[in-house]
Amino acid sequence: MEINKKLLQSCYADFKKKKPLFEKMYEYFKGNTDAQKNYQFQTDRANNVIGMNYVKKFVLEEVSFSLGVPLQITSKSNNDQIIKDIEFYTCLWSASHNTNLDKQMLIYSQAYELYYINEVTGEFMAKIIPPTSGYAYADDYGELQFFMYIFKKNFDTKVYIDLYTDTELLHLDANFKEVAPSKPHYFGRVPIAIAQLSEEQTDNTIYKEIKMLQDALETNTSDSSNELTDTRSSYIVIKGTKLEDKDVPELKKKGVIQITSKDGDAKYMLKNLNDSFIQNTLNNLEDKMYQLTDHINQNEKTSSNVSGIALRSKIIGLSSKAKLNQQALEDTIKTRIEMLFIYLKKLTGKEYDVRDITVKFTSNLPQDDLILSQIINNLGDKLSLDTGLSQLSFIDSSLIERQKIKAEQEETSIGMGLLTDAETKGAIDVKPMVEPVKTIGGEE
């Protein structure tokens, strides 16, 4: 496509405008909150600042819930070669690639996956780019027109931009001047997939939902801690007499005070803290965060006789959120596979259709494999072997498991055939495994 410099400048300006918010989201994921930054310190008093990172906790919980069980890719036409090629040509990728993609999407509400060919090995690869380093431009129909990867090199303060169009890669600086020769890329389209939670973008994030509650909880917890710390030095109120300054160290040392005045008295001055009010405030803030995010407080005690159905009903909100996360990732994974098929066609001449692919997610929930196996057995030939195997939590790949079953059946068949042939030809002389026991008289 022809590069419109004015459009690129507008996109770069929009990127810089949005970047501070995305950076703030990442700071909260790391636990660097406004509550800690802006905490009101008091001179000569306790100033402990306590962090309670619920943003990170909830993000990682959703990642584990959505991708704790490896996803399964199957072929609608039962073409095993497609699945073998997908697994083979992505086997060098990091095992945590999908979970990292999901984590970035949940932190920012969107993340990018950039596809490229490794110049040394020639392997098909992917790089996860957060919105703090990337900007995608699409037309009114949602078709990607170009992608900007904005970065700095090590020991270099300059900003560089790699611009990906549908045909080439351009190396630019922040003023959109070429700093290196452009080169064509492999894919014939903008090599980017967007993992996006919703069209509302930053409005649909854990950060947006609980930022203020997180700040309030940290501030109130810090205040409560400092209030308690400040009361550890108790004060003595003395009535009817007066201590000299030189007597105070001796008093602290011996712990005894003598009052000779008839009306004299001494007692500790204590601060009355309404601990119930403080605890209720903290509990309410924490509870609101769990409610807004549809997460479950695992520290709450549950009755020992609660049924599995009742427990599952408690997490229906979190289950629904995980389903939406999985749908967003499914779109990205299908784009990834489509790019892989473009690579394979040029590399090997094989032609595959992404519409033949099904991506199956299994939420990371405790499940009763015994019950499932009984259901699968009862369904019999009404359920395919692939579908049945994919329901069990301990099966990572239904294709690999089916191939193992087939290989074992073939080995058993061959062994039985050899045994039958040998028995037919009389080649096997069946002997007892244990020699007959002879008596003292020589009889058996």
Side-chain angles (χ1 to χ4, degrees):
M1 62 168 284
E2 183 179 350
I3 302 301
N4 184 331
K5 186 175 180 180
K6 186 175 181 180
L7 177 59
L8 293 178
Q9 290 172 335
S10 298
C11 290
Y12 186 52
D14 190 39
F15 164 79
K16 290 192 291 184
K17 178 182 177 181
K18 294 177 178 177
K19 186 178 179 181
L21 176 57
F22 289 127
E23 289 176 336
K24 174 73 77 172
M25 291 176 171
Y26 187 59
E27 287 301 311
Y28 266 71
F29 177 77
K30 293 192 298 181
N32 301 326
T33 63
D34 288 344
Q36 298 177 35
K37 180 181 177 182
N38 301 325
Y39 189 73
Q40 299 297 315
F41 292 101
Q42 295 188 22
T43 307
D44 298 329
R45 303 299 297 275
N47 288 299
N48 300 316
V49 181
I50 298 176
M52 305 176 72
N53 196 344
Y54 278 83
V55 173
K56 184 175 184 179
K57 170 183 169 62
F58 291 153
V59 166
L60 296 183
E61 276 187 0
E62 289 192 24
V63 171
S64 175
F65 198 85
S66 300
L67 294 172
V69 178
L71 60 88
Q72 296 205 27
I73 298 174
T74 58
S75 167
K76 296 175 184 175
S77 63
N78 295 321
N79 186 343
D80 292 347
Q81 191 58 46
I82 294 182
I83 309 304
K84 289 179 181 178
D85 283 343
I86 292 173
E87 292 178 349
F88 179 80
Y89 287 100
T90 58
C91 68
L92 296 180
W93 291 19
S94 170
S96 60
H97 182 88
N98 287 331
T99 55
N100 286 335
L101 177 63
D102 191 26
K103 182 179 71 176
Q104 297 291 326
M105 180 182 71
L106 291 172
I107 293 172
Y108 303 106
S109 82
Q110 63 183 39
Y112 304 107
E113 193 171 71
L114 170 66
Y115 308 105
Y116 65 98
I117 308 301
N118 188 295
E119 294 182 352
V120 177
T121 64
E123 296 284 343
F124 173 76
M125 303 298 291
K127 177 180 177 64
I128 300 170
I129 299 177
T132 52
S133 300
Y135 187 94
Y137 176 77
D139 61 18
D140 295 337
Y141 297 96
E143 297 293 331
L144 283 175
Q145 300 300 301
F146 57 81
F147 176 77
M148 294 189 297
Y149 174 40
I150 300 109
F151 62 98
K152 291 182 180 180
K153 298 179 181 179
N154 291 335
F155 314 112
D156 191 345
T157 58
K158 294 181 181 178
V159 175
Y160 295 90
I161 300 174
D162 279 354
L163 179 66
Y164 291 84
T165 70
D166 54 353
T167 57
E168 60 182 343
L169 165 60
L170 295 89
H171 302 286
L172 312 172
D173 61 15
N175 296 316
F176 299 99
K177 294 181 180 179
E178 283 194 313
V179 295
S182 63
K183 54 186 176 182
H185 64 67
Y186 209 82
F187 301 99
R189 53 183 287 190
V190 181
I192 279 289
I194 304 176
Q196 183 168 300
L197 286 175
S198 67
E199 293 181 356
E200 289 79 13
Q201 295 187 356
T202 56
D203 290 337
N204 192 22
T205 59
I206 292 173
Y207 164 86
K208 181 72 173 181
E209 290 171 341
I210 69 168
K211 179 204 180 287
M212 293 183 179
L213 290 169
Q214 169 86 36
D215 287 338
L217 181 64
E218 288 188 345
T219 300
N220 289 344
T221 303
S222 299
D223 286 344
S224 301
S225 173
N226 292 327
E227 193 75 24
L228 182 62
T229 301
D230 284 336
T231 62
R232 67 183 175 175
S233 298
S234 300
Y235 293 91
I236 297 178
V237 178
I238 300 175
K239 181 181 178 182
T241 187
K242 180 180 179 181
L243 287 178
E244 300 294 335
D245 291 343
K246 61 183 180 62
D247 296 328
V248 175
E250 194 68 18
L251 171 62
K252 287 184 176 181
K253 180 180 179 181
K254 293 182 178 180
V256 176
I257 182 172
Q258 293 181 351
I259 301 176
T260 58
S261 172
K262 180 179 178 181
D263 298 326
D265 188 17
K267 61 182 178 180
Y268 280 107
M269 181 176 68
L270 303 177
K271 183 184 291 186
N272 294 321
L273 300 176
N274 191 335
D275 57 334
S276 296
F277 173 76
I278 295 172
Q279 191 59 48
N280 287 337
T281 300
L282 298 179
N283 289 342
N284 286 336
L285 290 171
E286 184 182 51
D287 184 59
K288 291 300 181 186
M289 286 196 288
Y290 277 103
Q291 289 182 31
L292 289 174
T293 57
D294 286 318
H295 284 245
I296 302 299
N297 189 345
Q298 302 294 338
N299 296 322
E300 288 184 351
K301 294 182 180 180
T302 56
S303 176
S304 59
N305 61 350
V306 175
S307 67
I309 295 176
L311 288 173
R312 282 178 174 266
S313 66
K314 287 188 66 176
I315 59 173
I316 190 169
L318 181 57
S319 220
S320 299
K321 286 191 71 174
K323 191 65 178 176
L324 295 176
N325 297 345
Q326 291 167 350
Q327 289 173 351
L329 289 176
E330 182 177 353
D331 293 338
T332 303
I333 291 169
K334 285 184 175 179
T335 302
R336 177 195 305 169
I337 293 173
E338 191 174 2
M339 293 293 184
L340 174 61
F341 288 171
I342 294 173
Y343 165 79
L344 289 177
K345 182 178 179 181
K346 292 188 176 183
L347 182 69
T348 65
K350 296 178 181 178
E351 292 195 35
Y352 295 137
D353 192 339
V354 72
R355 290 172 291 188
D356 187 35
I357 295 300
T358 299
V359 181
K360 182 181 183 298
F361 292 87
T362 303
S363 296
N364 190 16
L365 279 171
Q367 65 181 42
D368 193 334
D369 287 319
L370 177 61
I371 298 293
L372 283 174
S373 62
Q374 291 173 347
I375 294 173
I376 293 168
N377 186 57
N378 291 337
L379 288 172
D381 57 3
K382 296 182 178 65
L383 186 71
S384 71
L385 183 59
D386 266 348
T387 302
L389 290 172
S390 65
Q391 305 306 311
L392 302 174
S393 62
F394 55 88
I395 302 296
D396 291 334
S397 171
S398 59
L399 171 61
I400 294 175
E401 196 65 28
R402 182 159 49 83
Q403 290 174 343
K404 289 180 180 179
I405 293 171
K406 184 178 179 182
E408 289 178 0
Q409 289 175 341
E410 289 176 351
E411 290 175 2
T412 302
S413 178
I414 292 172
M416 292 299 294
L418 293 173
L419 182 61
T420 302
D421 290 344
E423 289 177 344
T424 303
K425 295 176 182 178
I428 297 181
D429 182 14
V430 180
K431 295 182 179 180
M433 295 296 293
V434 181
E435 291 291 334
V437 179
K438 294 184 179 181
T439 63
I440 297 176
E443 295 180 356
E444 296 181 1

